[in-house]
Amino acid sequence: MTAAPELGTPRTASPDLLRAVFRQHAAGVAVITAAGDRPVGFTATSLNSVAAEPPLISFGVGTSSSSWPVIATAEHVGVHILGEHQRELAATFARSGADRFGPSTFWRSGPEGVPLLDGVLAWLVCRVVARVPAGDHRIVIAQVVEGDPADGGRPLVYHQGRFTALRD
């Protein structure tokens, strides 16, 4: 038998409980982009690999997000894996009302017209295949069209409510 930490007093399910528990879960940081009248994008920690055949990914997006109206109808999205050197970029795309594609953001129009961010660890362009209702969010499932794993590097991580880096 192995020793286990004492379990605390259980709390009733609530948004605060979910947030508190997931502050303990370290997650990789990505930025999702799409083309509209103006490009849109947001920081996501909900990115997942869904299947290898066909290559599918998923991410969640809030329906109250300023990016949602474009994501709701976009045929393609960009997925960018951020490096530990990109904390400010992650913060810009997470901040409400920020000029996400302003002068401090280096980007270009990529395949299918999707905005691609420069200097990321890796990127994908994906074709949206489903938008699944999930409370006040939608889970977007998309099939990889093309991408670039770049040269690697150390990923940016979100943990305990802040952007951080992996430690050895």
Side-chain angles (χ1 to χ4, degrees), residues 34-40 66-67 69-71 73-74 101 107 113 115:
D37 291 339
R38 294 189 51 181
V40 300
S66 62
S67 298
V70 173
I71 299 291
T73 61
F101 290 89
W107 65 282

Side-chain angles (χ1 to χ4, degrees), residues 81-86 119-122 149-157 165-166:
I81 307 300
L82 300 191
E84 66 184 1
H85 63 288
Q86 295 179 303
V120 297
L121 295 187
D151 293 327
R154 295 177 62 90
L156 185 62
V157 177
L166 293 176

Side-chain angles (χ1 to χ4, degrees), residues 25-120:
H25 175 71
V29 180
V31 168
I32 309 298
T33 60
D37 291 339
R38 294 189 51 181
V40 300
F42 63 94
T43 300
T45 57
S46 60
L47 179 66
N48 288 290
S49 169
V50 174
E53 188 58 44
L56 297 171
I57 59 96
S58 71
F59 59 87
V61 57
T63 55
S64 64
S65 160
S66 62
S67 298
W68 172 244
V70 173
I71 299 291
T73 61
E75 291 184 26
H76 293 86
V77 295
V79 176
H80 308 82
I81 307 300
L82 300 191
E84 66 184 1
H85 63 288
Q86 295 179 303
R87 291 178 193 195
E88 187 53 41
L89 183 66
T92 296
F93 277 83
R95 195 170 23 256
S96 179
D99 185 3
R100 296 173 179 158
F101 290 89
S104 65
T105 302
F106 299 100
W107 65 282
R108 59 186 158 62
S109 183
E112 306 297 338
V114 171
L116 292 181
L117 304 174
D118 291 340
V120 297

Side-chain angles (χ1 to χ4, degrees), residues 116-133:
L116 292 181
L117 304 174
D118 291 340
V120 297
L121 295 187
W123 60 267
L124 297 168
V125 170
C126 303
R127 181 178 58 80
V128 175
V129 296
R131 294 172 185 86
V132 181

